[in-house]
Amino acid sequence: MTGVFVTGTDTGVGKTVVACAIVRALRADGFDVGVMKPCETGVGPDGPLDAIALRDAAGAKDDLALICPQQFAMPAAPTVAASAEGRSVDLDAIRAAYAGLCSAHGFVVSEGAGGLLVPLAKGFTMADFAQELRLPVIIVARAALGTINHTLLTLEAAARRDLDVAGVVISHAGGPLGDSDAANLGSLTASLGARLIGIVPPLAPGAVPSSDAIDLRALRSPSH
Ligand SMILES: Nc1ncnc2c1ncn2[C@@H]1O[C@H](COP(=O)(O)OP(=O)(O)O)[C@@H](O)[C@H]1O
Ligand SMILES: [Mg+2]
């Protein structure tokens, strides 16, 4: 096993929270974990906040330029944010950084931007990145209404591209659910069955998921 790619059904669904939880769990198991946010957009004066959160979770000393080789100011899809600066996303810089992180660490957790079909570069999606690097993917899904469709669409897109889905994690990013949202989520969890590998309940500000919130056995299996 070399790594995992954390994607989501959307932006703002809990990818960073879940990726950091995975990093902490793997570290607790003794892995030397590297982290990557191949492209971060919406980067302001405080730097790439997802990449910084991942680095903190990993306790890694790697340069932020290696963890997050492509950074853009506009909070938009990578191709859009790059174009706003008269630039394009440098895929080779991302590939080189990933190779560097792999040689420095036993396992690399990468967090995508947005969902699987977001364009990372012209004609190249987040799904293409996971496919090129042969990384199993973890799909983070929201708990609230709309999640059945988004989650099943994402699973279908992953299957069409022969991506190896290690599992789905539901994060309660919107806080506690009302009755109808809870019933709706129950329908999704029933249809996911064993593909559901974790649920992150509503967290208090600043809190992190408990170490057993996500079942990482799928990542530890020999095929990964
Ligand atoms: N289980 C949860 N409980 C409470 N807040 C959450 C939970 N999961 C995510 N959030 C919050 O929701 C927001 C979006 O989460 P984040 O991990 O940044 O999403 P993404 O990386 O998919 O954009 C953040 O403010 C995060 O702290
Ligand atoms: Mg994020």
Side-chain angles (χ1 to χ4, degrees), residues 26 51 53 64 88 95 108 176 201:
L26 291 170
L64 273 179
S88 53
R95 292 181 176 115
V108 178

Side-chain angles (χ1 to χ4, degrees), residues 32-194:
D32 170 9
V33 186
V35 288
M36 185 175 206
K37 176 85 184 181
C39 181
E40 185 156 344
T41 64
V43 176
D46 294 335
L49 298 180
D50 282 11
I52 290 168
L54 289 164
R55 187 178 66 172
D56 289 350
K61 304 268 183 289
D62 303 304
D63 204 283
L64 273 179
L66 190 66
I67 292 173
C68 187
Q70 294 286 278
Q71 303 178 19
F72 302 100
M74 183 187 269
T79 49
V80 178
S83 158
E85 296 178 22
R87 299 164 60 192
S88 53
V89 177
D90 185 346
L91 275 182
D92 284 336
I94 292 174
R95 292 181 176 115
Y98 184 75
L101 288 165
C102 285
S103 60
H105 301 280
F107 193 93
V108 178
V109 176
S110 301
E111 180 193 339
L116 277 184
L117 297 193
V118 163
L120 176 57
K122 198 161 178 287
F124 193 91
T125 65
M126 288 289 157
D128 292 329
F129 178 74
Q131 199 175 37
E132 178 179 308
L133 299 174
R134 298 176 185 280
L135 289 172
V137 299
I138 286 181
I139 297 166
V140 182
R142 62 163 56 87
L145 195 61
T147 195
I148 295 178
N149 181 51
H150 289 155
T151 305
L152 299 181
L153 282 173
T154 302
L155 283 165
E156 191 171 299
R160 272 190 63 167
R161 289 160 182 79
D162 278 333
L163 292 176
D164 178 7
V165 176
V168 174
V169 177
I170 290 164
S171 193
H172 285 252
L177 298 183
D179 289 348
S180 54
D181 279 359
N184 188 72
L185 182 61
S187 161
L188 176 64
T189 57
S191 73
L192 288 175

